Amino acid sequence: MSSTVLITGANRGVGLALARHYHGEGWQVIGVCRQTSAELDAVASRVVEGIDVTRAADVTRLAEKVKDQRLDLLINNAGLLRDESLDELNFDTIREQMEINAYAPLAVVEALLDNLGEGSKIANITSRMGSIADNDSGGRYGYRASKAALNAFGKSLAIDLAPRGISVIQLHPGFVKTRMVNFGGMISPEEAAAGIAARIAALTLETTGTFWHSNGEPLPW
């Protein structure tokens, strides 16, 4: 029986590349998004669209849609990047990023806990910009804070879910050529997806709660 992965934000960018990767590996792919794409439809076993992961009602509806479906892997990929500087602080965009990048993944995990069991894995797509030790350029207040919060949530989830046999990993995909950065990245979504999948494959309960670059480099908190 093939394994099943659920990916949020699966209609484009890294999420779509991950959907393609796991489809190519023979997995059943459940793609979750606000609006699907022809590319996602081509590789997903199932698409659950119309889902805004910041809306409690949508997250509840997602859980109902996949009720009784065992998930071997949950990838929290949906995210948002805005840009604030100290000279131009915008607390609305900071809150928006906290909702999407931090609170939503935690809400999705809570809603789908019954779908996860011993041997299941959770991968949170975070960013090295959420590393406090690695911050040497400042700025990006909302994005940094939201990804740091996601890292903290992921670490706690790893501890709390270990007794259930569920492992959790925090993954920085790299500087990827996606719309989020106006396609100005250094690696392709496909390269990022391959690295992410390799890190997930290597994840065990012994390494749960760790923070990695997709290229295999451990990252500091």
Side-chain angles (χ1 to χ4, degrees), residues 10-160:
N11 58 319
R12 64 173 185 262
V14 173
L16 177 59
L18 284 164
R20 285 173 169 157
H21 177 91
Y22 282 103
H23 171 74
E25 294 292 313
W27 287 55
Q28 298 297 307
V29 176
I30 301 174
V32 178
C33 54
R34 286 181 295 177
Q35 184 174 354
T36 192
S37 61
E39 294 84 359
L40 177 59
D41 290 340
V43 296
S45 310
R46 184 177 179 188
V47 174
V48 184
E49 65 176 328
I51 301 296
D52 180 338
V53 289
T54 67
R55 293 173 53 87
D58 285 5
V59 173
T60 298
R61 185 158 58 87
L62 169 62
E64 292 170 350
K65 291 281 188 181
V66 299
K67 188 177 181 181
D68 300 326
Q69 170 65 60
R70 152 91 181 189
L71 297 179
D72 300 284
L73 174 58
L74 165 61
I75 302 180
N76 282 308
N77 167 73
L80 177 71
L81 170 65
R82 301 292 192 210
D83 191 8
E84 306 89 17
S85 67
L86 187 57
D87 295 329
E88 296 183 9
L89 284 179
N90 183 330
F91 285 93
D92 288 334
T93 61
I94 290 172
R95 291 186 189 96
E96 180 184 32
Q97 289 169 98
M98 290 296 293
E99 289 284 349
I100 295 174
N101 296 340
Y103 304 153
L106 184 60
V108 169
V109 170
E110 180 193 32
L112 299 181
L113 271 180
D114 288 344
N115 301 84
L116 303 167
E118 186 171 356
S120 294
K121 299 180 180 182
I122 298 169
N124 294 314
I125 305 303
T126 181
S127 172
R128 73 184 308 158
M129 290 183 71
S131 167
I132 294 172
D134 191 61
N135 184 354
D136 58 6
S137 57
R140 296 280 171 85
Y141 284 83
Y143 194 71
R144 289 187 186 280
S146 63
K147 291 300 189 179
L150 177 58
N151 288 347
F153 289 160
K155 181 65 174 181
S156 283
L157 284 170
I159 294 167
D160 292 339

